[in-house]
């Protein structure tokens, strides 16, 4: 299998997509797969995790750091940089086993050829650091300038986020300090270069950049290499700072903190490392990850490569450096979707980390526990109790989701959407994550450290949502949106109600754990616990769960069966404008049975035991042709269920679609003039789940790992490891047998 | 005071408006105030009450009969008709004291002048009959042809409704039989002419008309008069007939029924009457009406004329000929609003009839009792119990309201509206009508004849709507539309909830009446009645009624106070298209506090005792500037409440607006290419209510009529009669005193 993806030749049309495809990252930051000479026009970004800013009425979004990798070349006084200068040859490569991006470009100059080679990596060991090696080779005596430093003119979607960027040079180290608009958060970028050939150096500072000109004359066919370290720190690393409030915090002093000796040492000390040595540690770190997470597939290299490439992306964005950070829906590939955390994390990505690196899974869930106050505040805002998690969660649980999330293409007016206030299932995703962590690890620490309280608060939230008809008995959830967002303001969405039931059941379990002392005594006394138990048992029992009709079909929500039954294609043909929204009150799909993504099928995936297999199959068959798959969260749900139903051949294309979401490109990248592209970590996680839960058919029953494989025909062997209950197991499946080996 | 309205001169632009302004009618049919020579292009219509047809996907709408009044003039071989021929002089006049329309037109011909004078009336005594007298006078020896007969090419909005129109001539009587598309209903129009001068007569039959040419030569300045009777009968007169089903019913025989001798006698017998004699009976009949309903106002002729003109319109459409017919929202002025009965009848028109002609009020309410099966069916369709009345009620309670009532002007797509399925307050209007009838008349017969059952069925409906939060206590009505239709899918609309409470209270009263035997024993036994009483008492007590906030303002629905607070003007300025809908999911008003019409204020008018006067005033002051008054139902509600609050000067312009709705014109007549104009009987009824309940301040307390007048400054005296509890009273109010005299 090839652990490198390559792109030969240069196509300026692919700059945006390549930025996602060749992304590198280390959880602290994501560095788009762009070239050193690129600037904001090429969507260059060093995208930072968990730190946000808002300007005016623009969407609140994560920060991109000043670009300390910025480097370009001059030969005989002329700039040789892409995309302006057409190259003679060009190739990019991502070693995704080790998170190293390489490029090689050959320029023809009037006097001869000049080659640029570089490699860069987001250090997996010290996450503040980026390494870059930049080599120039000419076949003649060229007058060369390597211009390298920090570009402060960053790409923003709803920026500019920095009120000011200050630059300095000190002892050969270039630094930039950027201060954000909303909260006065600070971002410091420093860089240092080393080279072992004689050169003249000149400083070049302009309004938005600080650069070092390394000027020399080449010998023929000799490599001239500059090794460069970049470090990135932010005020969020030390707890963040509110604008002008915390004067005692040295970071918040009026004078720039990088002039503070202690910080300066920390921020620049890491720039003194030996490049090869640090790179070795970085690659070793990646090797260790693959020891636990690689999925081996014999007989289908394409599938194996796409799947492991997906896992690479999950690693790039896994927040290992800090407890209580989560993962944004577009990872660290930019500011799309506001850098916000959606249900994607718990429902689509968590399984991968639970199986391969449970401590990351725990950290993701700690984020939800830490943002419980924000969820409580949101519930209160809407007149509910307990915890209503943010649909688009930023730091502190702030809900970045707007009430007007879509623009009417016909009138240019914002359309009132209900994702923020009515997509109630978000809180159940949090509960699911906490309970899944506990079940898979057997570790009650998460529950003890706030997880139990979170589960109870979510149950409280759902309880406060419940209505019943006067004189009726069943409990209902009214006026909501399920996973299929094309149908708004619906009653008794099967998925939502089922997840609420699950939440009530989880609360009952949690109360039991409190009662038996497994997770401490809780905040309440025995009588209170007992009344909670009664309350949530009652709720779990009485909440209305739609049942299959006479044809075995479960109605996605009340009234769905009455909607117009047309094909996805027919609905698409009704579009009057290619960018018009399919949902909303009057969208082309809104009053039809066409849905955006798996909804009932998501439920059936999570709780297949709710119905006989025959019913699962009928619903797969019914809903699949009615699904647009307009979300990257859809394909894997159909794939996993298809495997369970013994249809791996139907699952396979969905699996490949999920696994190739970032590899193959072709997704929706622009909405009007707004970039909405980026990586698709939920699809990556979904591909993983399809492989492990679907094709391998791995599940837990009575505390033991079980396997019920449905390998595609071409797959001769499949091998992977998983963690369960504190131990790691190797699972090896062939056509003939499945072996589960403790490691 | 002048009981005639006149229009001198001819303006083709005013044809449509004049059709409404000069309308005549007798409850059986409305005849638009058009000229004899007009055809469908001039929106000529003999609009029939309570008989409907639907063609294809078009809206179901009432029938216009073939026009038996059709008459035009030829002089010296040339047609002289409006609007084609420009007149020398032209004048129209409506004697609205007697329901007689007159026109006089002078044409200049090459050889001299010819005058046409005519008068027509929809017979108040025999409602099947229309009288027309048509006089031609020339100042020279003119070769005249009066061409008169039946025009079968009727004006339809969503037609053509007649699959066939068959004509015949027999014994000088011309007849047309028209058969409808949907149900095979039949409409027969016959006409007969009489004249006392020598003339040659020729029959002229073409595809869509049958005409009689009366050919003669005039003496100078001599009147040549043709007296014409037209009769109109329909299969609905004898119970209607389903297409081809009831072969035993002679009307449904395949052969045309007008060939049946018995029917033919009935339909043509009335054409033999002496014109003057019949006209005398007609005017006597009108005089008797005014004896009971005229409102005399000293000091303000304009107000008196506008008000009595409004009452004229109510008389024109009052269904006296048949029990169980109601009044359409646009009266009998055409097919607009599908000829359907809305809440307008009970909430805005009923008071007039209760006060002046209780037997008409009873008949109107019988319509609702008769259509109870339709209301039950509708409730069932939506999963409710009891009776959910049609938002746009046609015969049998069929709801003509579409799910897609508005067209998006930007996309041309139909917009899903919720008038039909969520405007729950319609059933409470029915209850209000029945209870008001009983209270005002002291007559329990309506309750005995199905009214009581209707009240209980409506209570059952509201009970089945009720939700409560699990663990909560208050009963709520969710996801509805109140009178202000610009805000859809709202929770706990104050008006709707208050009317539901009223319905529950009415049900409790009804049960008591059953128990004490006043209205019979009901269908249920004592124990059942007692459980109903308990149930509805509980519902009346627990249904959530919004209360004034700290500023005394009652929130129209949950969340209203959070909406954007902008002026009506500002909202209007946001329109991108003059015809775009203000409401719906994304309308310019939808997410603002701007409302279409009185909503909270309608509630406060009906139940002023709910709050202290101070609160009523605060809400008037708050809501009035936020009201578009985009419905003719709005102004009177503000007017009546203003009077109660001692602000007759604020009430006056609203009163005049209501009273002049059809007199002054200027209302919205066209929506795109669709005619939506017509008369405004609810505004007429509202003007009456403002006069009697507002300015005169008439109310009932402890079984007695009370008066608390707030006359406008210029009003020196006001006098009117009302019926109460089976007796009639004359009420006379001056600045100094108010006298209530039994008559």
């Amino acid at each position: 299998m090839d652990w490198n993806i390559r792109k030969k030749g240069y196509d300026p049309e692919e700059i945006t997509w390549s930025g996602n495809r060749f992304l590198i990252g280390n959880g602290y930051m994501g560095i788009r797969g762009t070239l050193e000479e690129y600037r904001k026009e090429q969507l260059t970004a060093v995208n930072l995790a968990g730190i946000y800013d808002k300007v005016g009425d623009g969407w609140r979004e994560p920060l991109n750091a000043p670009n300390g990798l910025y480097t370009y070349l001059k030969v005989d006084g002329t700039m040789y940089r892409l995309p302006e200068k057409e190259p003679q040859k060009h190739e990019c490569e991502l070693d995704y086993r080790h998170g190293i991006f390489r490029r090689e470009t050959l320029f023809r100059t009037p006097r001869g050829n000049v080659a640029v080679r570089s490699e860069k990596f987001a250090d997996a060991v010290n996450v503040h650091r980026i390494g870059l090696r930049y080599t120039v080779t000419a076949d003649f005596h060229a007058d060369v300038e390597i211009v390298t430093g920090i570009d402060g003119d960053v790409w923003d979607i709803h920026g500019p986020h920095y009120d000011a960027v200050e630059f300095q040079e000190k002892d050969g180290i270039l630094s930039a300090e950027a201060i954000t608009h909303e909260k006065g958060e600070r971002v410091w970028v420093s860089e240092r270069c080393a080279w072992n050939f004689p050169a003249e150096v000149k400083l070049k500072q302009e309004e938005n950049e600080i650069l070092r000109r390394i000027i020399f004359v080449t010998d023929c066919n000799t490599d001239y290499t500059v090794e460069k370290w970049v470090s990135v720190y932010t005020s969020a690393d030390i707890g963040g700072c509110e604008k002008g409030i915390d004067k005692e915090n040295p970071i918040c002093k009026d004078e720039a903190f990088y002039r503070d000796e202690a910080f300066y040492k920390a921020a620049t000390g890491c720039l003194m490392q030996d490049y090869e040595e640090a790179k070795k540690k970085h690659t070793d770190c990646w090797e260790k990850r693959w020891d636990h997470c690689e999925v081996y597939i014999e007989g289908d290299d394409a599938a194996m490569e796409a799947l492991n490439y997906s896992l690479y992306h999950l690693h790039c964005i896994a927040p290992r450096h800090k407890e209580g950070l989560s993962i944004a829906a577009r990872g660290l590939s930019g500011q799309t979707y506001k850098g916000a955390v959606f249900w994607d994390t718990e429902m689509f990505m968590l399984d991968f980390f639970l199986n391969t690196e449970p401590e990351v899974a725990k950290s993701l869930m700690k984020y939800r526990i830490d943002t419980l106050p924000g969820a409580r505040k949101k519930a209160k805002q809407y007149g509910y109790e307990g915890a209503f998690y943010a649909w688009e969660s930023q730091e502190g649980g702030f809900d970045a989701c707007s009430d007007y999330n879509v623009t009417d293409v016909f009138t240019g007016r914002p359309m009132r959407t209900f994702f923020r206030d009515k997509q109630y299932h978000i809180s159940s995703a949090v509960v699911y994550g906490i309970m899944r962590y506990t079940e898979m690890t057997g570790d009650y620490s998460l529950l003890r450290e706030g997880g139990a309280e979170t589960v109870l608060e979510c149950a409280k939230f759902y309880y406060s949502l419940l209505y019943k008809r006067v004189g009726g008995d069943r409990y209902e959830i009214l006026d909501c949106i399920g996973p299929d967002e094309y149908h708004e303001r619906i009653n008794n969405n099967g998925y939502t109600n089922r997840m609420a039931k699950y939440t009530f059941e989880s609360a009952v379990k949690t109360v039991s754990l409190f009662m038996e002392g497994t997770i401490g005594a809780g905040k309440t006394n025995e009588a209170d616990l007992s009344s909670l138990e009664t309350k949530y048992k009652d709720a779990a029992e009485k909440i209305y769960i739609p049942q299959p009709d006479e044809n075995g079909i479960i109605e996605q929500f009340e009234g769905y069966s009455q909607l117009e039954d047309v094909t996805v294609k027919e609905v698409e043909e009704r579009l009057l404008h290619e960018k018009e929204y399919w949902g909303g009150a009057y969208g082309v799909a809104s009053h039809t049975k066409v849905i955006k993504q798996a909804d009932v099928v998501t439920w059936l995936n999570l709780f297949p035991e709710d119905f006989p297999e025959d019913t699962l199959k009928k619903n797969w068959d019914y809903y699949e042709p009615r699904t647009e798959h307009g979300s990257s969260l859809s394909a894997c749900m159909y794939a996993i269920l298809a495997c369970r139903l013994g249809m791996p051949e139907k699952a396979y294309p969905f699996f490949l679609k999920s696994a190739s979401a970032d590899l193959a490109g072709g997704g929706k990248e622009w909405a009007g003039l707004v970039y909405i592209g980026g990586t698709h970590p939920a699809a990556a996680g979904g591909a993983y789940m399809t492989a492990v839960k679907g094709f391998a058919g791995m599940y837990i029953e009575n505390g033991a790992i079980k396997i019920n494989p449905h390998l595609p025909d071409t797959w001769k062997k499949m091998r992977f490891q998983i963690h369960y209950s504190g131990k790691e197991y190797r699972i090896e499946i062939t056509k003939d047998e499945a072996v589960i080996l403790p490691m």
Side-chain angles (χ1 to χ4, degrees), chain A residues 156-175:
Chain A
D156 281 320
I157 296 180
H158 296 281
H161 292 293
Y162 299 124
D163 277 350
V165 184
E166 288 178 29
F167 299 98
Q168 81 161 17
E169 187 276 340
K170 190 177 163 188
D171 306 329
I173 290 173
L174 306 185
S175 304

Side-chain angles (χ1 to χ4, degrees), chain A residues 412-430:
Chain A
R413 288 186 188 133
M415 290 162 80
R416 176 70 165 92
T417 45
F418 300 92
F419 309 132
R420 179 191 168 103
D421 46 338
K422 297 188 190 294
Q423 208 149 355
Y424 301 131
H425 67 78
I426 179 64
S427 286
S428 68
V430 172

Side-chain angles (χ1 to χ4, degrees), chain A residues 273-388:
Chain A
Q273 285 280 313
D274 177 73
Y275 183 87
E276 279 302 327
E277 193 183 316
K279 183 177 153 191
K280 175 76 171 52
K281 285 183 184 159
H282 166 83
T283 53
D284 287 351
C285 178
W286 272 97
E287 282 295 336
K288 264 181 217 138
R289 290 178 187 165
W290 294 111
D291 284 347
H292 300 284
C293 78
E294 182 179 346
V295 179
Y296 175 78
I297 299 165
E298 200 176 300
D300 189 349
D301 276 6
M304 178 159 59
E305 285 167 19
L307 178 56
N308 285 290
Y309 172 77
S310 294
L311 306 187
Y312 161 75
H313 271 290
L314 291 168
H315 281 301
C316 283
I317 55 179
R320 297 183 177 87
H321 60 286
K322 189 178 176 181
E323 199 179 64
L325 253 190
S326 188
I327 300 177
R330 286 284 182 263
L332 291 168
S333 62
Q335 292 163 325
T336 312
Y337 291 127
K338 305 163 194 163
V341 181
F342 288 64
W343 69 315
D344 302 36
T345 312
E346 282 78 12
M347 305 310 288
F348 296 84
M349 305 176 210
L350 190 71
D351 256 46
F352 170 68
F353 294 110
L354 278 174
N355 285 356
T356 62
E357 213 171 336
E359 56 277 26
V360 173
K362 182 173 179 184
S363 185
L364 295 176
M365 296 323 302
K366 287 288 265 185
Y367 169 77
R368 296 299 195 176
I369 294 170
D370 291 348
T371 55
L372 183 58
R376 280 199 181 108
K377 204 168 151 188
K378 179 174 168 183
K380 206 169 172 187
Q381 184 201 335
Y382 290 110
Y384 303 123
E385 296 174 17
F388 184 8

Side-chain angles (χ1 to χ4, degrees), chain A residues 617-667:
Chain A
K617 170 106 175 44
K618 280 176 178 162
N619 283 279
W620 197 100
D621 290 344
Y622 183 83
Y623 281 108
E624 197 288 313
R626 290 169 175 85
T627 307
E628 185 215 359
H629 300 294
S631 157
S632 56
L633 310 184
S634 191
C636 68
M637 287 294 153
Y638 281 97
I640 303 170
L641 193 62
C643 289
R644 164 177 284 265
L645 297 171
M647 314 185 290
E649 73 292 351
K650 288 207 175 177
Y652 191 79
F654 288 116
F655 162 74
L656 219 55
K657 187 180 170 185
S658 292
S660 310
D662 297 319
L663 192 61

